[in-house]
């Protein structure tokens, strides 16, 4: 969210329980506000997050398949309704969704966006069983009655794939009143990342330390590398000299340079490595999107996903360790943040 400077973000299919959602909010997203449909659905099928310093959001309604909100930009005072949707994966299960959208219909500017788990035509599917009129009739009728149509978009047309079948089931729809806004708007459907088989939809509306020798630091992310165990084993084979404590310090010191080399080769500037790998994966996704039957490209995409997952895991370990270090520094200062955190737990 920080990378793309989002003001409002919708997350779908998280399957988080109420307690896990609360923990996520407290430790990872404490500067954001959020609402979910966990009470209606049992787990958080839809989560809406927003930055309270840039937008004001009012929750209007929710169900297991949607959350309706009103969004107001604090700088431009633009106000519109938005419905974040995650439809059930059966035709009968989605019918309450279509009925709810029709009964709730906003007369003002309105976006309806998310994973509808339904296509609108045969053009929205590549490979697999043909799209029948029965499959799409309910969704079509709902869009026709409400005047909903796709917002102008770029990027991927097909927004979900299992590697064989490609479909457009994720959309950003707007009602006729949306065209009355004095702001330009458009959607970019990104390529799927390492953690999802869906394309994310990015909606746009309107618009150092001082030099010197740094102390050695051990990073937990090194432990997962395939060379780590052999590197430690080799460093621990030094012949004993002097007292046990002297030998321990000597062995630890001998590991500094090998570990620094390991870090430089595989982990330095970890976020930049992740960004480069994401760009490489996105490039190959575009190639695969245009050559969907190319098995070698599919294998390459899958291999890149695995590499990206490893890098993402290392990046997460790095920032988690950094966060803990900051926490203990604040704790040592007996800061009010620490005391409040302690009381709340």
């Amino acid at each position: 969210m920080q990378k793309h400077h989002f003001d409002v973000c919708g997350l779908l299919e998280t399957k988080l329980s109420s307690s896990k959602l609360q923990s996520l909010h407290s430790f990872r997203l404490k500067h954001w506000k959020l609402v979910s449909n966990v009470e209606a659905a049992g787990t958080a099928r839809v989560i809406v997050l927003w930055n309270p310093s840039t937008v004001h959001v009012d929750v209007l309604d929710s169900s297991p398949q949607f959350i309706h909100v009103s969004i107001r930009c604090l700088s431009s005072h633009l106000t519109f309704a938005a419905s974040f949707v995650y439809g059930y994966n059966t035709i009968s299960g989605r019918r309450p969704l279509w009925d709810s959208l029709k009964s709730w219909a906003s007369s003002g500017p309105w976006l309806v966006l998310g994973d509808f788990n339904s296509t609108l035509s045969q053009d929205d599917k590549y490979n697999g069983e043909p799209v029948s009129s029965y499959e799409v009739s309910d969704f079509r009728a709902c869009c026709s009655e409400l005047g909903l149509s796709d917002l102008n978009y770029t990027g991927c047309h097909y927004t979900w794939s299992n590697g064989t079948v490609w479909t457009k089931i994720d959309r950003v729809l707007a009602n006729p009143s949306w065209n009355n806004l004095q702001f330009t708007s458009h959607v970019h459907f990104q390529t799927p990342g390492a953690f999802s088989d869906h394309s994310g939809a990015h909606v746009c509306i309107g618009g150092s330390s001082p030099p010197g020798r740094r102390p050695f630091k051990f990073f937990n992310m090194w432990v997962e590398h395939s060379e780590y165990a052999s590197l430690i084993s080799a460093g621990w084979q030094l012949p004993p000299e002097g007292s046990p404590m002297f030998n321990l310090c000597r062995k630890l010191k001998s590991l500094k340079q090998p570990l620094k080399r390991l870090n430089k080769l595989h982990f330095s500037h970890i976020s930049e490595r992740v960004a480069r790998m994401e760009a490489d994966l996105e490039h190959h996704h575009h190639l695969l999107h245009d050559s969907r039957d190319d098995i070698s490209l599919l294998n390459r995409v899958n291999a890149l996903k695995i590499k990206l997952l490893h890098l993402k895991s290392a990046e997460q370990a790095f920032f988690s360790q950094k966060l803990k270090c900051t926490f203990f520094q604040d704790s040592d200062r007996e800061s009010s943040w620490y005391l409040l955190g302690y009381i709340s737990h």
Side-chain angles (χ1 to χ4, degrees), residues 229-240 247-255:
S230 58
L231 187 151
I232 298 298
S233 178
W236 224 248
Q237 300 305 315
L238 287 176
N247 277 306
L248 175 62
C249 294
R250 182 166 162 261
K251 290 177 179 179
L252 289 174
K253 187 176 181 179
S254 73
L255 289 171

Side-chain angles (χ1 to χ4, degrees), residues 242-266:
S243 67
M245 182 58 68
F246 175 81
N247 277 306
L248 175 62
C249 294
R250 182 166 162 261
K251 290 177 179 179
L252 289 174
K253 187 176 181 179
S254 73
L255 289 171
K256 282 187 178 180
Q257 291 306 316
L259 286 173
K260 284 182 178 180
R261 285 195 293 270
L262 179 73
N263 185 69
K264 185 176 181 179
L265 286 173
H266 303 288

Side-chain angles (χ1 to χ4, degrees), residues 138-332:
D138 293 336
F139 192 11
R140 277 184 179 176
C142 179
C143 290
S144 176
E145 182 172 331
L146 298 173
L148 297 174
S149 59
D150 286 307
L151 204 61
N152 291 332
Y153 69 88
T154 56
C156 299
H157 173 69
Y158 300 107
T159 61
W160 175 88
S161 173
N162 60 5
T164 304
V165 179
W166 302 65
T167 62
K168 183 175 181 60
I169 55 177
D170 305 272
R171 313 186 94 97
V172 178
L173 305 171
N175 70 342
S177 296
W178 188 264
N179 297 323
N180 298 329
L181 291 177
Q182 300 300 312
F183 295 87
T184 59
S185 57
H186 117 280
V187 187
H188 181 74
F189 285 98
Q190 302 161 335
T191 55
F195 299 103
S196 176
D197 47 15
H198 288 261
S199 295
H202 186 180
V203 182
C204 291
I205 304 172
S208 76
S209 300
R213 187 174 180 180
R214 290 178 295 178
F216 175 82
K217 294 181 180 179
F218 181 92
F219 294 109
N220 296 333
M221 59 185 177
W222 296 342
V223 177
E224 301 300 324
H225 195 274
S226 58
E227 297 177 14
Y228 175 80
S230 58
L231 187 151
I232 298 298
S233 178
W236 224 248
Q237 300 305 315
L238 287 176
E241 293 181 12
S243 67
M245 182 58 68
F246 175 81
N247 277 306
L248 175 62
C249 294
R250 182 166 162 261
K251 290 177 179 179
L252 289 174
K253 187 176 181 179
S254 73
L255 289 171
K256 282 187 178 180
Q257 291 306 316
L259 286 173
K260 284 182 178 180
R261 285 195 293 270
L262 179 73
N263 185 69
K264 185 176 181 179
L265 286 173
H266 303 288
F267 299 99
S268 61
H269 306 291
I270 186 66
S271 293
E272 292 180 13
R273 290 175 183 265
V274 169
R276 287 196 296 268
M277 186 61 70
E278 285 178 335
D280 196 11
L281 178 60
E282 181 175 1
H283 171 69
H284 282 81
H285 263 302
H286 282 304
L287 295 177
L288 184 60
H289 193 266
D290 296 331
S291 304
R292 292 177 286 277
D293 296 316
D294 190 330
I295 301 301
S296 62
L297 264 180
L298 177 60
N299 292 336
R300 176 61 177 163
V301 166
N302 290 333
L304 287 172
K305 281 186 176 182
I306 293 172
K307 291 181 179 179
L308 180 56
L309 281 172
H310 287 310
L311 282 176
K312 286 272 192 181
S313 177
E315 184 186 39
Q316 182 180 14
F318 171 79
F319 283 107
S320 176
Q321 185 175 356
K322 187 176 180 180
L323 182 64
K324 288 178 182 177
C325 290
T326 304
F327 172 83
F328 287 119
Q329 286 173 359
D330 289 336
S331 299
D332 289 340

